[in-house]
Amino acid sequence: MPRIVLNGEEREIPREMTIMELLEEIGVKFREVGLAVAINEEVVPKSEYTTRKVREGDKVEVVQLVGGG
């Protein structure tokens, strides 16, 4: 199983997967606004979430904006 670093923590994923599949795997709902993903310090456009693969050794950051007051 591929090993990645997700938000600073090492993690195994079942296989190479797209960003959209990874989001589902970790329980993050896709949103057009308030969600960003970077792979190896490069922000990935949302248009690539269904095609861009997360691979062995990638460093992935998933950032969600949370509203509140």
Side-chain angles (χ1 to χ4, degrees), residues 2-17:
R3 294 185 73 78
I4 63 171
V5 176
L6 177 63
N7 291 348
E9 295 185 17
E10 198 167 302
R11 179 183 183 125
E12 282 188 353
I13 54 176
R15 57 183 163 66
E16 288 186 356
M17 53 180 51

Side-chain angles (χ1 to χ4, degrees), residues 1 6 17 35 39 41 48 50-51 61-62:
M1 287 196 276
L6 177 63
M17 53 180 51
L35 175 69
I39 297 178
E41 299 182 5
E48 295 180 18
T50 58
T51 56
E61 294 291 326
V62 177

